[in-house]
Amino acid sequence: MTIDRRNFLRAGLAGTAAAAACATLGAPPAEARENKTVPEQAVGLLYDSTLCIGCKACQSACKTANNLPLEDNIGGGLWDTPLDLSGKSYTVIKLYADGKMEHKDQVKDGFAFIKRQCLHCADPSCVSACPVQAMRKDPKLGIVTYNADACIGCRYCVAACPYGVPQFQYDTPTPRIAKCQLCHHLLAKGGIPACAGHCPTGATLFGTYEQLSAEIERRKAMTPGEINQFPRRTVDAGDPQERPAGQYTEQVYGAKELGGTQVRYLAGVPFDKFGLPTGLPERSYASRSETLQHSLYGHLAAPAVVLAGLVTAAWNGSKSHAGDEHDEDQHDGGRHD
Amino acid sequence: MYDDSSLPPADEVQTRFGIDRRDFLTFCAGIAATLGLPRAAEAQIASAIVSKERPSVIWLHHQECTGCTESLLRSEHPTLDKLILDIISLDYHETLFAAAGHQVEAARLAAMEKNKGKYLLVVEGAIPTKDGGIYCKIAGQTSLDLTRECAANAAAVLAIGSCASWGGMPSTPPNPTGSTGVGEALGRSDVVSIPGCPPNPYNFLATVVHFLTFGKLPDLDAKNRPLFAYGRLIHENCERRAHFDAGRFALEFGDEGHRKGYCLYKLGCKGPETHANCPIVLFGDVGMQSWPVGTGHPCIGCTEQGIGFAKPIYALADLKNQRPPVTYARAVEEQGGGATAASAGLVGALVGAAVGAGAMLTKKIRHDEDGQE
């Protein structure tokens, strides 16, 4: 079958228009997906940078609880000194430092700490990107878990995470994805995440999402410098420390970023100083990409439309060339002579 | 070895101090080490102790528990009890005096008269100032009056213990007797304080020996504490510091971390905000770990005004002077900036000079070649 350029383009355009029409008129799955929200019984962490002293108790406890190896970046093999999240480190305390580093939680000539770890998004990109459901969001507690047995090692989660959290273990023949799973093995036994359990100051605090939201409200309402109580380990552990409240920035990191996260940050310096992505939209990337993909493939409409378009093109092509067939044959016949 | 020809013969030392010459020199070396003095100072100290006249010391007690004195008496450094009585001439001390009553007061006045302007006044205990200071009286005299009288002609005033340094325990709120430290009560800013509850006896002894050897008091910090003893935070020299740096903490008394000797910060250790040499000098001369943190209890900050007896014992400390180390992972790694105008200018000038020199050289070579032809 032959088809001239004009007709080919016309048919293609018709097909695309039909596909677009199908997408908009299509059944429920083709509607724009909203952000997923945190489950009712979701748990999470609150990390308050103004309380953190940078002692790395969380890092140390995390390694013990998750049976992770030492990561020595300064030589000597004595100290665990991860420079960033890695295949061997699920959490790491990083430092913002400026000039003389004289005052804590100050932008100029100051310093501040930030705890990097999985934020356990309400609507995680890694879960959306994983082709085999090795990354899953626990429907009850909302923890983003990883199943090594299902994982095919494609590393889509590594590329998809906007916070750069999942890490691939490149240095082993049996690699896994390394990421914080909120110590769900400890939670199952009635415990709490190791980092929150070991934090001496209460900078890392465990609680339900609701409890932590209330705690964030309470801290934001404090007068800076006024003595206040700060719970340690969990919101209601009854082991608070008393100290002057810090001067918090307006932003609560993880409150709205890409639909919110279950691990949230309070800090005394702006979050862009910590190398965290700021200015993220409130609509999650997962909802956006899934809307697009599910529109295209909803009810298998797109292949049907494409097929219809091709059939139309073929039909039109055969009609317009029907009269030429004899001439071509003659022509061909003539050539054979 | 240092020149010890100036020292008296061995038998003289033995007779006077009741110890052999070796033990005596060991003691002098110990004092020099506590003071952070160079090696040659041992000889100077040994010479001062044996040859100079023993300084007269008047020792007053006010609102206190006599813990400072007890601590001094229990120093088991070789024959320290004998040395403390032989290095100084203790002319008035309520706990140690054999005599009592008017006899003692007379001895005090006599010593003060005889050593006018030369004696050391050591004060132990806080001084009550409320209601005319009536809450502590000795021989009918209020603490305040007695201290004023004794301080008037003293060569130096030493406050031993936290009570005498700033008020210590008796001054904790609501402070019903209005107790305060010696310096504040006398309105003097030159009172040397050796805080602690009790203070380390070697810090006191070293201060006295420094005065005896060099004729002046050692260097002091802003709170008048000798720098050799209170120049550093406990946290800086703590034997458990490595655990702090590695993030290993005892979370509760008796838990695994506590039994393994991990850092006591979470239990309320005030080491990060308390200046003292406890981890180095230790207490009681019984060897390693004989200090509060070594035995497993957090430091209560007894040498630091505003911490000891003020902050709850198990409340978290504020970290002082704790800038994160350079090896700490940075959130945003620093990168080199672009070329500055000055550096660009310098490089430009160098390039210009090189080009100019090259041109001249070419010209010269060509000229030479022309000349040869």
Side-chain angles (χ1 to χ4, degrees):
Chain A
M1 181 195 92
T2 57
I3 176 167
D4 68 8
R5 183 184 147 84
R6 179 180 300 251
N7 279 327
F8 173 77
L9 289 175
R10 194 179 290 158
L13 203 63
T16 314
C22 274
T24 32
L25 297 172
E31 276 174 16
R33 166 155 106 55
E34 294 296 316
N35 281 351
K36 285 181 183 162
T37 50
V38 293
E40 233 167 71
Q41 288 174 288
V43 293
L45 297 172
L46 169 62
Y47 170 77
D48 188 333
S49 173
T50 65
L51 297 180
C52 183
I53 57 163
C55 70
K56 304 183 186 178
C58 49
Q59 265 178 241
S60 165
C62 177
K63 294 243 153 156
T64 310
N66 293 294
N67 202 18
L68 294 168
L70 181 96
E71 190 177 356
D72 180 19
N73 283 310
I74 56 172
L78 286 172
W79 299 93
D80 182 47
T81 50
L83 296 175
D84 209 336
L85 296 176
S86 73
K88 293 172 183 168
S89 301
Y90 293 172
T91 187
V92 57
I93 296 285
K94 296 178 84 176
L95 170 75
Y96 160 73
D98 181 76
K100 296 175 186 165
M101 293 165 59
E102 276 171 342
H103 304 283
K104 192 164 178 289
D105 301 317
Q106 189 173 300
V107 174
K108 183 136 180 59
D109 283 334
F111 66 95
F113 299 103
I114 192 74
K115 184 176 192 282
R116 295 304 318 277
Q117 66 164 103
C118 176
L119 298 179
H120 297 278
C121 303
D123 195 353
S125 301
C126 56
V127 171
S128 175
C130 183
V132 291
Q133 295 194 343
M135 288 283 179
R136 301 185 77 157
K137 189 161 176 74
D138 184 280
K140 191 173 160 221
L141 302 176
I143 299 169
V144 179
T145 58
Y146 166 71
N147 178 3
D149 293 336
C151 181
I152 53 169
C154 69
R155 287 163 277 159
Y156 282 8
C157 53
V158 177
C161 179
Y163 308 105
V165 169
Q167 298 287 324
F168 189 72
Q169 296 173 336
Y170 284 98
D171 56 353
T172 155
T174 54
R176 294 173 171 220
I177 293 294
K179 84 174 262 304
C180 158
Q181 299 180 62
L182 217 59
C183 285
H184 64 315
H185 61 296
L186 297 182
L187 290 177
K189 287 186 269 179
I192 62 166
C195 54
H198 284 72
C199 179
T201 65
T204 305
L205 188 68
F206 176 75
T208 66
Y209 189 82
E210 294 300 315
Q211 282 177 325
L212 294 176
S213 299
E215 181 65 19
I216 290 169
E217 286 305 308
R218 191 177 76 88
R219 292 191 189 181
K220 296 273 281 183
M222 290 173 182
T223 315
E226 198 180 50
I227 300 289
N228 272 288
Q229 291 209 329
F230 293 89
R232 297 193 282 183
R233 289 184 293 181
T234 66
V235 177
D236 47 12
D239 179 27
Q241 74 143 322
E242 271 185 2
R243 53 160 291 139
Q247 174 91 49
Y248 296 109
T249 56
E250 194 56 41
Q251 189 182 10
V252 179
Y253 200 84
K256 289 176 179 168
E257 275 70 15
L258 300 172
T261 59
Q262 286 171 222
V263 174
R264 284 167 287 178
Y265 294 158
L266 283 171
V269 305
F271 286 99
D272 59 327
K273 303 288 182 198
F274 294 122
L276 291 166
T278 48
L280 293 171
E282 287 188 28
R283 189 175 171 197
S284 70
Y285 291 153
S287 74
R288 210 179 283 188
S289 65
E290 283 182 28
T291 299
L292 186 67
Q293 293 221 333
H294 295 178
S295 305
L296 287 176
Y297 293 101
H299 293 304
L300 276 181
V305 168
V306 170
L307 185 66
L310 287 173
V311 169
T312 315
W315 180 257
N316 286 344
S318 61
K319 235 184 3 192
S320 58
H321 289 280
D324 304 340
E325 220 165 277
H326 184 66
D327 293 343
E328 274 181 29
D329 282 349
Q330 273 190 335
H331 183 74
D332 284 347
R335 211 193 287 166
H336 282 296
D337 288 342
Chain B
M1 283 301 288
Y2 49 81
D3 174 25
D4 58 358
S5 54
S6 62
L7 293 183
D11 53 340
E12 194 183 316
V13 171
Q14 198 155 354
T15 321
R16 185 173 150 194
F17 298 115
I19 58 169
D20 65 22
R21 186 181 149 81
R22 180 179 296 253
D23 283 347
F24 173 69
L25 289 176
T26 306
F27 166 77
C28 293
I31 288 292
T34 306
L35 281 162
L37 295 174
R39 201 178 150 76
E42 296 166 28
Q44 227 174 330
I45 288 170
S47 154
I49 290 173
V50 290
S51 57
K52 288 201 181 167
E53 195 188 336
R54 296 178 304 157
S56 168
V57 172
I58 309 276
W59 190 301
L60 300 180
H61 292 247
H62 303 304
Q63 290 179 311
E64 43 83 28
C65 66
T66 317
C68 305
T69 294
E70 295 290 345
S71 161
L72 198 65
L73 292 176
R74 271 155 190 74
S75 323
E76 289 299 323
H77 206 285
T79 64
L80 179 70
D81 50 340
K82 283 187 181 167
L83 279 166
I84 184 68
L85 298 174
D86 282 312
I87 293 169
I88 59 176
S89 164
L90 197 55
D91 291 326
Y92 181 84
H93 190 296
E94 287 160 19
T95 316
L96 302 178
F97 251 32
H102 295 296
Q103 202 182 2
V104 179
E105 294 305 311
R108 175 173 65 84
L109 292 173
M112 280 164 58
E113 188 56 40
K114 187 184 160 203
N115 301 301
K116 208 170 180 178
K118 286 189 286 183
Y119 63 88
L120 283 175
L121 175 67
V122 180
V123 183
E124 182 179 345
I127 298 174
T129 53
K130 209 167 171 184
D131 303 328
I134 56 166
Y135 299 106
C136 185
K137 284 188 172 179
I138 294 115
Q141 235 179 336
T142 64
S143 287
L144 197 54
D145 286 343
L146 183 64
T147 313
R148 276 199 191 121
E149 185 187 305
C150 296
N153 291 318
V157 184
L158 265 72
I160 186 166
S162 303
C163 302
S165 297
W166 74 81
M169 243 248 288
S171 72
T172 48
N175 194 0
T177 61
S179 30
T180 180
V182 182
E184 204 183 322
L186 294 178
R188 283 172 64 161
S189 58
D190 62 343
V191 175
V192 180
S193 58
I194 311 205
C197 194
N200 200 302
Y202 296 112
N203 292 343
F204 169 74
L205 198 60
T207 306
V208 172
V209 172
H210 190 286
F211 178 75
L212 182 66
T213 309
F214 302 108
K216 63 182 171 83
L217 290 160
D219 292 339
L220 307 174
D221 70 0
K223 288 178 181 170
N224 277 359
R225 298 174 294 189
L227 273 175
F228 71 84
Y230 302 91
R232 279 177 178 265
L233 292 171
I234 284 180
H235 193 52
E236 291 176 51
N237 287 315
C238 181
E239 66 214 22
R240 298 187 185 218
R241 174 60 184 268
H243 290 297
F244 177 89
D245 289 340
R248 292 197 293 246
F249 295 89
L251 303 180
E252 284 170 20
F253 283 103
D255 75 353
E256 196 196 353
H258 191 231
R259 292 200 302 275
K260 283 182 174 171
Y262 287 179
C263 175
L264 301 171
Y265 172 77
K266 198 195 172 182
L267 299 180
C269 183
K270 306 293 186 296
E273 54 183 345
T274 301
H275 293 85
N277 57 355
C278 309
I280 313 168
V281 177
L282 306 174
F283 287 86
D285 297 318
V286 290
M288 284 176 73
Q289 299 179 333
S290 55
W291 66 296
V293 170
T295 64
H297 192 279
C299 163
I300 65 165
C302 68
T303 63
E304 199 73 37
Q305 186 174 2
I307 310 294
F309 321 111
K311 219 171 169 178
I313 289 178
Y314 302 112
L316 286 185
D318 291 327
L319 270 67
K320 282 185 194 162
N321 303 339
Q322 290 308 309
R323 285 183 212 174
V326 284
T327 50
Y328 217 102
R330 298 288 177 111
V332 181
E333 289 297 335
E334 280 173 28
Q335 291 175 343
T340 62
S343 63
L346 185 66
V347 171
L350 282 170
V351 169
V355 168
M360 288 305 288
L361 191 67
T362 320
K363 208 172 169 185
K364 190 170 182 296
I365 290 169
R366 203 175 286 157
H367 180 75
D368 288 351
E369 280 172 356
D370 290 349
Q372 278 173 359
E373 281 167 12

